[in-house]
Amino acid sequence: MSPWPPVCPLTTVPPACGVPALVGTEPVAVFRTAADELYAVGNVDPFCGAGVISRGIVGDRAGEPVVASPMLKQVFSLRTGRCLDAPEAGLPVYPVRRRDEVVEVAVG
């Protein structure tokens, strides 16, 4: 597998939304903020074990881009993966880039 496998066309990720992807064997959530920045974090909610992070609400907390889990509503930083409500928990963070209007995510 390429170190930067293509995940989806950029148009598949609307601003202020996320989409799920399986990159290799990793469940990933790819987000595009309203400011048109891309982020990729693990898609599995560490509090309930469900693959739902991509369905979370994208927003901002004091200038930090975040996603709120749709299950139990914990808020995670899209930059660091750290849970802002329970700092002992977090999501893996993956490098993501836009190349020729295609979203690519590196895992492993």
Side-chain angles (χ1 to χ4, degrees):
M1 178 169 43
S2 164
W4 285 96
V7 172
C8 62
L10 180 63
T11 55
T12 303
V13 189
C17 291
V19 297
L22 190 62
V23 183
T25 59
E26 297 296 319
V28 175
V30 176
F31 293 96
R32 184 175 175 191
T33 67
D36 205 30
E37 297 173 308
L38 292 173
Y39 295 94
V41 297
N43 195 37
V44 177
D45 184 321
F47 293 96
C48 68
V52 296
I53 295 297
S54 64
R55 296 181 186 184
I57 298 170
V58 179
D60 177 285
R61 188 183 273 185
E64 180 79 13
V66 297
V67 62
S69 171
M71 296 296 287
L72 301 174
K73 309 303 184 230
Q74 283 88 359
V75 175
F76 298 89
S77 165
L78 291 174
R79 289 185 183 134
T80 67
R82 182 176 60 90
C83 180
L84 303 183
D85 301 320
E88 70 279 0
L91 302 169
V93 176
Y94 303 102
V96 60
R97 70 183 183 187
R98 175 185 332 201
R99 186 169 167 218
D100 298 327
E101 297 308 303
V102 173
V103 177
E104 299 177 334
V105 176
V107 298

Coordinates of all heavy atoms in Angstrom, one line a residue:
M1 N 0.8 -1.2 0.0 CA 0.0 0.0 0.0 C 0.9 1.2 0.0 O 1.9 1.3 0.7 CB -0.9 0.0 1.2 CG -1.8 1.2 1.3 SD -3.1 1.2 2.5 CE -2.5 0.6 4.0
S2 N 0.5 2.2 -0.7 CA 1.2 3.5 -0.8 C 1.2 4.1 0.6 O 0.3 4.0 1.4 CB 0.4 4.5 -1.7 OG 0.9 5.8 -1.6
P3 N 2.3 4.9 0.9 CA 2.3 5.5 2.2 C 1.3 6.6 2.4 O 0.9 7.0 3.5 CB 3.8 6.1 2.3 CG 4.3 6.1 0.9 CD 3.5 5.0 0.2
W4 N 0.8 7.1 1.2 CA -0.3 8.1 1.2 C -1.4 7.6 0.3 O -1.7 8.1 -0.8 CB 0.2 9.4 0.7 CG 1.1 10.2 1.6 CD1 2.4 10.2 1.7 CD2 0.6 11.0 2.7 NE1 2.8 11.0 2.7 CE2 1.7 11.6 3.3 CE3 -0.7 11.4 3.1 CZ2 1.7 12.4 4.4 CZ3 -0.7 12.3 4.2 CH2 0.4 12.8 4.8
P5 N -2.2 6.6 0.8 CA -3.3 6.1 -0.1 C -4.4 7.1 -0.2 O -4.7 7.8 0.7 CB -3.7 4.8 0.7 CG -3.3 5.0 2.1 CD -2.1 5.9 2.0
P6 N -5.0 7.1 -1.4 CA -6.1 8.0 -1.6 C -7.3 7.5 -0.8 O -7.6 6.3 -0.7 CB -6.4 8.0 -3.1 CG -5.7 6.7 -3.6 CD -4.6 6.4 -2.6
V7 N -8.1 8.4 -0.2 CA -9.2 8.0 0.6 C -10.5 8.4 -0.1 O -11.4 7.5 -0.2 CB -9.2 8.7 2.0 CG1 -10.5 8.5 2.8 CG2 -8.0 8.2 2.8
C8 N -10.6 9.6 -0.7 CA -11.8 10.0 -1.4 C -11.6 11.3 -2.1 O -10.6 12.0 -1.7 CB -13.0 10.2 -0.4 SG -12.7 11.4 0.9
P9 N -12.4 11.7 -3.0 CA -12.3 13.0 -3.6 C -12.7 14.1 -2.5 O -13.5 13.8 -1.6 CB -13.4 13.0 -4.7 CG -13.7 11.6 -4.9 CD -13.5 10.9 -3.7
L10 N -12.0 15.2 -2.6 CA -12.3 16.3 -1.6 C -13.7 16.6 -1.5 O -14.3 16.9 -0.5 CB -11.4 17.5 -1.9 CG -11.6 18.7 -1.0 CD1 -11.1 18.3 0.4 CD2 -10.8 19.9 -1.5
T11 N -14.4 16.6 -2.7 CA -15.9 17.0 -2.7 C -16.7 16.0 -1.9 O -17.9 16.4 -1.6 CB -16.4 17.1 -4.1 OG1 -16.1 15.8 -4.8 CG2 -15.7 18.2 -4.9
T12 N -16.2 14.9 -1.5 CA -17.0 13.9 -0.7 C -17.1 14.3 0.7 O -17.9 13.9 1.5 CB -16.3 12.5 -0.8 OG1 -16.2 12.1 -2.2 CG2 -17.1 11.5 0.0
V13 N -16.2 15.2 1.1 CA -16.1 15.7 2.5 C -16.6 17.2 2.5 O -15.9 18.1 2.3 CB -14.7 15.6 3.1 CG1 -14.7 15.9 4.6 CG2 -14.0 14.3 2.8
P14 N -17.9 17.4 2.8 CA -18.4 18.7 2.9 C -17.8 19.5 4.0 O -17.4 18.9 5.0 CB -19.9 18.6 3.1 CG -20.2 17.1 2.8 CD -18.9 16.4 3.1
P15 N -17.7 20.8 3.9 CA -17.2 21.7 5.0 C -18.0 21.4 6.2 O -19.2 21.3 6.2 CB -17.3 23.1 4.5 CG -17.3 23.0 3.0 CD -18.0 21.6 2.7
A16 N -17.3 21.4 7.4 CA -17.9 21.2 8.7 C -18.5 19.8 8.9 O -19.4 19.6 9.6 CB -18.9 22.3 9.0
C17 N -17.9 18.8 8.1 CA -18.5 17.5 8.2 C -17.3 16.5 8.2 O -16.2 16.8 8.0 CB -19.4 17.1 7.0 SG -20.9 18.0 7.1
G18 N -17.6 15.2 8.5 CA -16.7 14.1 8.5 C -17.2 13.0 7.7 O -18.4 12.8 7.4
V19 N -16.3 12.1 7.3 CA -16.6 10.9 6.6 C -15.8 9.7 7.1 O -14.6 10.0 7.5 CB -16.4 11.0 5.0 CG1 -17.3 12.0 4.4 CG2 -15.0 11.2 4.7
P20 N -16.3 8.5 7.2 CA -15.5 7.4 7.6 C -14.7 6.8 6.5 O -15.1 6.9 5.3 CB -16.6 6.4 8.1 CG -17.8 6.7 7.2 CD -17.7 8.2 6.9
A21 N -13.6 6.2 6.8 CA -12.8 5.5 5.8 C -12.0 4.4 6.5 O -11.7 4.5 7.7 CB -11.8 6.5 5.2
L22 N -11.8 3.3 5.7 CA -10.9 2.3 6.2 C -9.6 2.4 5.4 O -9.6 2.2 4.2 CB -11.6 0.9 6.0 CG -10.9 -0.3 6.6 CD1 -10.8 -0.1 8.1 CD2 -11.5 -1.6 6.2
V23 N -8.6 2.8 6.1 CA -7.3 3.0 5.5 C -6.4 1.8 5.9 O -6.0 1.8 7.1 CB -6.6 4.3 5.8 CG1 -5.3 4.5 5.1 CG2 -7.6 5.5 5.5
G24 N -6.1 0.9 5.0 CA -5.5 -0.4 5.4 C -6.4 -1.1 6.3 O -7.6 -1.4 5.9
T25 N -6.1 -1.3 7.5 CA -7.0 -1.9 8.5 C -7.4 -0.9 9.6 O -8.1 -1.3 10.5 CB -6.3 -3.1 9.2 OG1 -5.1 -2.6 9.9 CG2 -5.9 -4.2 8.2
E26 N -7.1 0.4 9.4 CA -7.4 1.4 10.4 C -8.7 2.1 10.1 O -8.9 2.7 9.0 CB -6.3 2.4 10.5 CG -5.0 1.9 10.9 CD -5.0 1.4 12.3 OE1 -5.6 2.0 13.2 OE2 -4.4 0.3 12.5
P27 N -9.7 2.1 11.1 CA -10.9 2.9 10.9 C -10.6 4.4 11.2 O -10.1 4.7 12.3 CB -11.8 2.3 11.9 CG -11.0 1.7 13.0 CD -9.7 1.3 12.3
V28 N -10.7 5.2 10.2 CA -10.3 6.6 10.2 C -11.6 7.5 10.0 O -12.4 7.1 9.2 CB -9.2 6.9 9.2 CG1 -8.9 8.3 9.1 CG2 -8.0 6.0 9.4
A29 N -11.6 8.6 10.6 CA -12.6 9.7 10.4 C -11.9 10.8 9.8 O -10.9 11.4 10.4 CB -13.3 10.0 11.7
V30 N -12.3 11.3 8.6 CA -11.7 12.4 7.9 C -12.6 13.6 8.0 O -13.8 13.5 7.7 CB -11.4 12.1 6.4 CG1 -10.8 13.3 5.7 CG2 -10.4 10.9 6.3
F31 N -12.1 14.7 8.5 CA -12.9 15.9 8.7 C -12.4 17.1 7.8 O -11.2 17.2 7.6 CB -12.9 16.3 10.1 CG -13.6 15.4 11.0 CD1 -12.9 14.4 11.7 CD2 -15.0 15.4 11.2 CE1 -13.5 13.5 12.5 CE2 -15.6 14.5 12.0 CZ -14.9 13.5 12.7
R32 N -13.3 17.9 7.4 CA -13.0 19.1 6.7 C -13.7 20.2 7.5 O -15.0 20.2 7.7 CB -13.5 19.1 5.3 CG -13.2 20.3 4.4 CD -13.7 20.0 3.0 NE -13.5 21.1 2.1 CZ -14.0 21.1 0.9 NH1 -14.7 20.1 0.5 NH2 -13.8 22.2 0.2
T33 N -13.0 21.2 8.0 CA -13.6 22.2 8.8 C -14.2 23.3 7.9 O -14.0 23.3 6.7 CB -12.5 22.9 9.7 OG1 -11.6 23.6 8.9 CG2 -11.9 21.9 10.6
A34 N -15.0 24.2 8.5 CA -15.6 25.3 7.8 C -14.5 26.2 7.2 O -14.7 26.8 6.2 CB -16.5 26.1 8.7
A35 N -13.3 26.2 7.8 CA -12.1 27.0 7.3 C -11.4 26.2 6.2 O -10.3 26.6 5.8 CB -11.2 27.3 8.4
D36 N -11.9 25.0 5.8 CA -11.4 24.2 4.7 C -10.0 23.5 5.1 O -9.2 23.3 4.3 CB -11.2 25.0 3.4 CG -11.2 24.2 2.2 OD1 -11.8 23.1 2.2 OD2 -10.5 24.5 1.2
E37 N -9.9 23.2 6.4 CA -8.7 22.5 6.8 C -9.1 21.0 7.0 O -10.2 20.7 7.3 CB -8.2 23.0 8.2 CG -7.8 24.4 8.2 CD -7.5 24.9 9.6 OE1 -8.3 24.8 10.5 OE2 -6.4 25.4 9.8
L38 N -8.2 20.1 6.7 CA -8.4 18.7 6.8 C -7.8 18.1 8.0 O -6.7 18.5 8.4 CB -7.9 17.9 5.5 CG -8.6 18.2 4.2 CD1 -7.8 17.6 3.1 CD2 -10.0 17.7 4.2
Y39 N -8.5 17.1 8.6 CA -7.9 16.4 9.8 C -8.4 15.0 9.7 O -9.4 14.7 9.1 CB -8.5 17.0 11.1 CG -8.1 18.4 11.4 CD1 -8.8 19.5 11.0 CD2 -6.8 18.6 12.0 CE1 -8.4 20.8 11.2 CE2 -6.4 19.9 12.2 CZ -7.2 21.0 11.8 OH -6.8 22.3 12.1
A40 N -7.5 14.1 10.2 CA -7.9 12.6 10.2 C -7.6 12.1 11.6 O -6.5 12.3 12.1 CB -7.1 11.9 9.2
V41 N -8.6 11.5 12.2 CA -8.4 10.8 13.6 C -9.1 9.5 13.5 O -9.7 9.1 12.5 CB -9.1 11.7 14.7 CG1 -8.5 13.1 14.8 CG2 -10.6 11.8 14.4
G42 N -8.9 8.7 14.6 CA -9.5 7.4 14.7 C -11.0 7.5 14.7 O -11.5 8.5 15.3
N43 N -11.7 6.6 14.1 CA -13.1 6.6 14.0 C -13.8 5.9 15.1 O -15.1 6.0 15.3 CB -13.6 6.1 12.7 CG -15.1 6.5 12.4 OD1 -15.5 7.6 12.7 ND2 -15.8 5.5 11.8
V44 N -13.1 5.3 16.0 CA -13.7 4.5 17.1 C -13.8 5.3 18.4 O -12.7 5.8 18.9 CB -13.0 3.2 17.3 CG1 -13.6 2.4 18.5 CG2 -13.0 2.3 16.1
D45 N -15.0 5.6 18.9 CA -15.1 6.3 20.1 C -14.6 5.5 21.3 O -15.0 4.4 21.5 CB -16.6 6.5 20.4 CG -16.9 7.4 21.6 OD1 -16.3 7.3 22.6 OD2 -17.9 8.2 21.5
P46 N -13.6 6.0 22.0 CA -12.9 5.3 23.1 C -13.8 5.0 24.3 O -13.6 4.2 25.1 CB -11.7 6.1 23.5 CG -12.0 7.5 23.1 CD -12.9 7.3 21.9
F47 N -14.9 5.7 24.4 CA -15.8 5.6 25.5 C -16.9 4.5 25.3 O -17.3 3.9 26.3 CB -16.5 6.9 25.9 CG -15.5 7.9 26.4 CD1 -15.0 8.9 25.5 CD2 -15.1 7.9 27.7 CE1 -14.0 9.8 26.0 CE2 -14.2 8.8 28.2 CZ -13.6 9.8 27.3
C48 N -17.3 4.3 24.1 CA -18.3 3.2 23.8 C -17.9 2.2 22.8 O -18.6 1.2 22.7 CB -19.6 3.9 23.4 SG -19.5 4.6 21.7
G49 N -16.7 2.4 22.2 CA -16.2 1.3 21.2 C -16.9 1.3 19.9 O -16.6 0.4 19.1
A50 N -17.8 2.2 19.6 CA -18.5 2.3 18.3 C -17.7 3.1 17.3 O -17.1 4.1 17.7 CB -19.9 2.8 18.5
G51 N -17.8 2.7 16.0 CA -17.1 3.5 14.9 C -18.0 4.6 14.5 O -18.6 4.5 13.4
V52 N -18.1 5.7 15.3 CA -19.1 6.8 15.0 C -18.5 8.2 15.0 O -19.2 9.1 14.8 CB -20.2 6.7 16.1 CG1 -21.0 5.5 16.0 CG2 -19.7 6.9 17.5
I53 N -17.2 8.3 15.3 CA -16.6 9.7 15.4 C -16.9 10.5 14.1 O -17.1 11.7 14.2 CB -15.1 9.6 15.7 CG1 -14.9 9.0 17.1 CG2 -14.5 11.0 15.7 CD1 -15.5 9.7 18.3
S54 N -16.8 9.9 13.0 CA -17.0 10.6 11.7 C -18.4 11.2 11.6 O -18.6 12.2 10.9 CB -16.8 9.7 10.5 OG -17.8 8.7 10.5
R55 N -19.3 10.8 12.4 CA -20.7 11.3 12.4 C -20.9 12.4 13.5 O -22.0 13.0 13.7 CB -21.7 10.2 12.7 CG -21.8 9.2 11.6 CD -22.8 8.2 12.0 NE -22.8 7.1 11.0 CZ -23.6 6.1 11.0 NH1 -24.5 6.0 11.9 NH2 -23.5 5.1 10.1
G56 N -19.8 12.8 14.1 CA -19.8 13.8 15.2 C -20.0 15.2 14.7 O -19.9 15.5 13.5
I57 N -20.3 16.1 15.6 CA -20.5 17.5 15.3 C -19.1 18.2 15.3 O -18.4 18.2 16.3 CB -21.4 18.2 16.3 CG1 -22.8 17.5 16.2 CG2 -21.6 19.7 16.0 CD1 -23.8 17.9 17.3
V58 N -18.8 18.8 14.1 CA -17.5 19.5 14.0 C -17.7 21.0 14.4 O -18.7 21.6 14.1 CB -17.1 19.5 12.5 CG1 -15.8 20.2 12.3 CG2 -16.9 18.1 12.0
G59 N -16.8 21.4 15.2 CA -16.9 22.8 15.7 C -15.5 23.4 16.1 O -14.5 22.9 15.7
D60 N -15.6 24.3 17.1 CA -14.4 25.0 17.6 C -14.6 25.2 19.1 O -15.7 25.6 19.5 CB -14.4 26.3 16.8 CG -13.3 27.2 17.2 OD1 -13.4 27.8 18.3 OD2 -12.3 27.3 16.5
R61 N -13.6 25.0 19.8 CA -13.6 25.3 21.2 C -12.4 26.1 21.5 O -11.3 25.6 21.5 CB -13.6 24.0 22.1 CG -13.9 24.3 23.6 CD -13.8 23.1 24.4 NE -15.1 22.5 24.5 CZ -15.4 21.4 25.3 NH1 -14.4 20.9 26.0 NH2 -16.5 20.9 25.3
A62 N -12.6 27.4 21.8 CA -11.5 28.4 22.1 C -10.4 28.3 21.0 O -9.3 28.3 21.3 CB -11.0 28.1 23.5
G63 N -10.8 28.3 19.8 CA -9.9 28.3 18.7 C -9.3 26.9 18.3 O -8.6 26.8 17.3
E64 N -9.7 25.9 19.0 CA -9.2 24.5 18.7 C -10.3 23.8 17.9 O -11.5 23.7 18.3 CB -9.0 23.8 20.1 CG -8.6 22.4 19.9 CD -7.1 22.2 19.6 OE1 -6.4 23.2 19.8 OE2 -6.7 21.2 19.3
P65 N -10.0 23.3 16.7 CA -10.9 22.5 15.9 C -11.3 21.2 16.6 O -10.4 20.5 17.1 CB -10.3 22.3 14.6 CG -8.8 22.5 14.8 CD -8.7 23.4 16.0
V66 N -12.6 20.9 16.8 CA -13.0 19.8 17.6 C -14.1 19.0 16.9 O -14.8 19.5 16.0 CB -13.5 20.2 19.0 CG1 -12.3 20.8 19.8 CG2 -14.7 21.1 18.9
V67 N -14.3 17.8 17.4 CA -15.5 17.0 17.0 C -16.1 16.5 18.3 O -15.4 16.0 19.2 CB -15.1 15.9 16.0 CG1 -14.1 14.9 16.6 CG2 -16.4 15.2 15.6
A68 N -17.4 16.5 18.4 CA -18.1 16.0 19.5 C -18.7 14.6 19.1 O -19.4 14.5 18.1 CB -19.2 16.9 20.0
S69 N -18.4 13.6 19.9 CA -18.9 12.3 19.6 C -20.4 12.3 19.6 O -21.1 12.9 20.5 CB -18.4 11.3 20.7 OG -19.1 10.0 20.5
P70 N -21.0 11.6 18.6 CA -22.5 11.6 18.6 C -23.1 10.7 19.6 O -24.3 10.7 19.9 CB -22.8 11.0 17.1 CG -21.6 10.2 16.8 CD -20.4 10.9 17.5
M71 N -22.3 9.8 20.3 CA -22.8 8.9 21.3 C -22.9 9.5 22.6 O -24.0 9.8 23.1 CB -21.9 7.6 21.3 CG -21.9 6.8 20.1 SD -23.5 6.1 19.6 CE -23.6 4.8 20.9
L72 N -21.8 9.8 23.2 CA -21.8 10.3 24.6 C -21.4 11.8 24.7 O -21.3 12.3 25.8 CB -20.9 9.4 25.5 CG -21.3 8.0 25.5 CD1 -20.3 7.1 26.3 CD2 -22.7 7.8 26.1
K73 N -21.2 12.4 23.6 CA -20.9 13.9 23.5 C -19.6 14.4 24.0 O -19.4 15.6 24.1 CB -22.0 14.7 24.1 CG -23.4 14.3 23.7 CD -23.7 14.4 22.3 CE -25.1 14.1 21.9 NZ -25.3 13.1 20.9
Q74 N -18.6 13.5 24.2 CA -17.3 13.9 24.6 C -16.7 14.7 23.4 O -16.9 14.3 22.2 CB -16.3 12.8 25.0 CG -16.6 12.3 26.3 CD -17.6 11.2 26.4 OE1 -18.2 10.8 25.3 NE2 -17.9 10.6 27.5
V75 N -15.9 15.7 23.7 CA -15.3 16.5 22.6 C -13.8 16.2 22.5 O -13.1 16.2 23.5 CB -15.5 18.0 23.0 CG1 -14.8 18.9 22.0 CG2 -17.0 18.3 23.0
F76 N -13.4 16.0 21.2 CA -12.0 15.7 20.9 C -11.4 16.7 20.0 O -12.0 17.2 19.1 CB -11.9 14.3 20.2 CG -12.5 13.2 21.0 CD1 -13.8 12.8 20.9 CD2 -11.6 12.4 21.8 CE1 -14.3 11.8 21.7 CE2 -12.1 11.3 22.5 CZ -13.5 11.0 22.5
S77 N -10.1 17.0 20.3 CA -9.3 17.9 19.4 C -9.0 17.2 18.1 O -8.6 16.1 18.1 CB -8.0 18.3 20.1 OG -7.1 18.9 19.2
L78 N -9.3 17.9 17.0 CA -8.9 17.3 15.7 C -7.4 17.4 15.5 O -6.9 16.7 14.7 CB -9.7 18.0 14.6 CG -11.2 17.7 14.6 CD1 -11.9 18.5 13.5 CD2 -11.5 16.2 14.4
R79 N -6.7 18.3 16.2 CA -5.3 18.4 16.0 C -4.5 17.4 16.7 O -3.5 16.8 16.2 CB -4.8 19.8 16.5 CG -5.2 21.0 15.6 CD -4.6 22.3 16.1 NE -5.1 23.4 15.3 CZ -5.5 24.5 15.8 NH1 -5.5 24.7 17.1 NH2 -5.9 25.5 15.0
T80 N -4.9 17.1 18.0 CA -4.1 16.2 18.9 C -4.8 14.9 19.2 O -4.2 13.9 19.6 CB -3.8 16.9 20.2 OG1 -5.0 17.1 20.9 CG2 -3.1 18.2 20.0
G81 N -6.2 14.8 19.0 CA -6.9 13.6 19.3 C -7.3 13.6 20.8 O -8.1 12.8 21.2
R82 N -6.8 14.5 21.6 CA -7.0 14.5 23.0 C -8.5 14.8 23.3 O -9.1 15.7 22.7 CB -6.1 15.5 23.7 CG -6.2 15.5 25.2 CD -5.2 16.5 25.8 NE -5.4 17.9 25.3 CZ -6.1 18.8 25.9 NH1 -6.8 18.5 27.0 NH2 -6.2 20.0 25.4
C83 N -9.1 14.1 24.3 CA -10.4 14.4 24.7 C -10.4 15.6 25.6 O -9.7 15.6 26.6 CB -11.0 13.2 25.4 SG -12.7 13.5 26.0
L84 N -11.1 16.6 25.3 CA -11.1 17.9 26.1 C -11.9 17.7 27.4 O -11.7 18.5 28.3 CB -11.5 19.1 25.3 CG -10.8 19.3 24.0 CD1 -11.3 20.6 23.3 CD2 -9.3 19.4 24.2
D85 N -12.8 16.7 27.4 CA -13.6 16.5 28.6 C -13.0 15.5 29.6 O -13.4 15.5 30.7 CB -15.0 16.1 28.2 CG -15.7 17.1 27.3 OD1 -15.6 18.3 27.5 OD2 -16.3 16.7 26.3
A86 N -12.1 14.6 29.1 CA -11.5 13.6 29.9 C -10.1 13.4 29.3 O -9.9 12.5 28.4 CB -12.3 12.3 29.8
P87 N -9.1 14.2 29.7 CA -7.8 14.2 29.1 C -7.0 12.8 29.1 O -6.1 12.7 28.3 CB -7.0 15.2 29.9 CG -8.0 16.1 30.5 CD -9.2 15.2 30.7
E88 N -7.5 11.9 29.9 CA -6.8 10.6 29.9 C -7.2 9.8 28.6 O -6.6 8.7 28.3 CB -7.2 9.8 31.1 CG -8.6 9.3 31.2 CD -9.6 10.4 31.7 OE1 -9.2 11.5 32.0 OE2 -10.8 10.0 31.8
A89 N -8.2 10.2 27.9 CA -8.7 9.5 26.7 C -8.3 10.3 25.5 O -8.1 11.5 25.5 CB -10.2 9.3 26.8
G90 N -8.3 9.6 24.3 CA -8.0 10.3 23.1 C -8.2 9.4 21.9 O -8.5 8.2 22.0
L91 N -8.0 10.0 20.7 CA -8.1 9.3 19.4 C -6.8 9.3 18.8 O -6.0 10.3 18.9 CB -9.1 10.0 18.5 CG -10.5 10.2 19.0 CD1 -11.3 11.2 18.2 CD2 -11.2 8.8 19.1
P92 N -6.4 8.3 18.0 CA -5.2 8.4 17.2 C -5.4 9.5 16.1 O -6.5 9.8 15.7 CB -5.1 7.0 16.5 CG -6.4 6.3 16.8 CD -7.1 7.0 17.8
V93 N -4.3 10.1 15.8 CA -4.3 11.2 14.8 C -3.4 10.7 13.6 O -2.3 10.2 13.8 CB -3.7 12.5 15.4 CG1 -3.6 13.6 14.4 CG2 -4.6 13.0 16.6
Y94 N -3.9 11.0 12.4 CA -3.2 10.6 11.2 C -2.8 11.8 10.3 O -3.6 12.7 10.2 CB -4.0 9.6 10.4 CG -4.4 8.4 11.2 CD1 -5.7 8.3 11.8 CD2 -3.5 7.3 11.5 CE1 -6.1 7.2 12.5 CE2 -3.9 6.2 12.2 CZ -5.2 6.2 12.7 OH -5.6 5.1 13.5
P95 N -1.7 11.7 9.7 CA -1.3 12.8 8.7 C -2.3 12.7 7.6 O -2.7 11.6 7.1 CB 0.1 12.4 8.2 CG 0.6 11.5 9.3 CD -0.6 10.8 9.8
V96 N -2.8 13.9 7.1 CA -3.8 13.9 6.0 C -3.3 15.1 5.1 O -2.8 16.1 5.6 CB -5.2 14.1 6.6 CG1 -5.3 15.4 7.4 CG2 -6.2 14.1 5.5
R97 N -3.6 14.9 3.8 CA -3.3 15.9 2.9 C -4.2 15.9 1.7 O -4.9 14.9 1.5 CB -1.8 15.8 2.4 CG -1.6 14.6 1.5 CD -0.1 14.5 1.1 NE 0.1 13.4 0.1 CZ 1.2 13.0 -0.3 NH1 2.3 13.6 0.2 NH2 1.3 12.0 -1.1
R98 N -4.2 17.0 1.0 CA -5.0 17.2 -0.2 C -4.0 17.2 -1.4 O -3.1 18.0 -1.4 CB -5.8 18.5 -0.1 CG -6.5 18.9 -1.3 CD -7.1 20.3 -1.2 NE -7.4 20.7 0.2 CZ -8.2 21.6 0.6 NH1 -8.9 22.3 -0.3 NH2 -8.4 21.8 1.9
R99 N -4.3 16.3 -2.3 CA -3.4 16.3 -3.5 C -4.2 16.1 -4.7 O -5.0 15.1 -4.9 CB -2.4 15.1 -3.3 CG -1.4 15.0 -4.4 CD -0.3 14.0 -4.0 NE 0.5 13.7 -5.2 CZ 0.9 12.5 -5.5 NH1 0.7 11.5 -4.7 NH2 1.6 12.4 -6.6
D100 N -4.2 17.1 -5.6 CA -5.0 17.1 -6.8 C -6.5 16.9 -6.5 O -7.2 16.1 -7.1 CB -4.5 16.0 -7.8 CG -3.1 16.3 -8.3 OD1 -2.7 17.5 -8.4 OD2 -2.4 15.3 -8.5
E101 N -7.0 17.6 -5.4 CA -8.4 17.5 -5.0 C -8.8 16.1 -4.6 O -10.0 15.7 -4.6 CB -9.3 18.0 -6.1 CG -9.1 19.5 -6.4 CD -9.1 20.4 -5.1 OE1 -10.1 20.4 -4.4 OE2 -8.1 21.1 -4.9
V102 N -7.8 15.3 -4.1 CA -8.1 14.0 -3.5 C -7.5 14.0 -2.1 O -6.4 14.5 -1.9 CB -7.4 12.9 -4.3 CG1 -7.5 11.5 -3.6 CG2 -8.0 12.8 -5.7
V103 N -8.3 13.5 -1.2 CA -7.8 13.4 0.2 C -7.0 12.1 0.4 O -7.4 11.0 0.0 CB -9.0 13.4 1.2 CG1 -8.6 13.2 2.6 CG2 -9.9 14.6 1.0
E104 N -5.8 12.3 1.0 CA -4.9 11.1 1.2 C -4.6 11.1 2.7 O -4.4 12.1 3.3 CB -3.6 11.2 0.4 CG -3.8 11.2 -1.1 CD -2.6 11.4 -1.8 OE1 -1.6 12.0 -1.3 OE2 -2.5 11.0 -3.0
V105 N -4.6 9.9 3.3 CA -4.3 9.7 4.7 C -3.2 8.7 4.9 O -3.3 7.6 4.3 CB -5.5 9.3 5.5 CG1 -5.2 9.0 7.0 CG2 -6.6 10.3 5.4
A106 N -2.2 9.0 5.7 CA -1.1 8.1 6.0 C -1.3 7.4 7.3 O -1.7 8.1 8.3 CB 0.3 8.8 6.0
V107 N -1.3 6.1 7.4 CA -1.4 5.3 8.6 C -0.2 4.5 8.8 O 0.6 4.2 7.8 CB -2.7 4.5 8.6 CG1 -3.9 5.3 8.6 CG2 -2.7 3.4 7.6
G108 N 0.1 4.1 10.0 CA 1.2 3.2 10.3 C 2.4 3.8 10.3 O 3.5 3.6 10.2

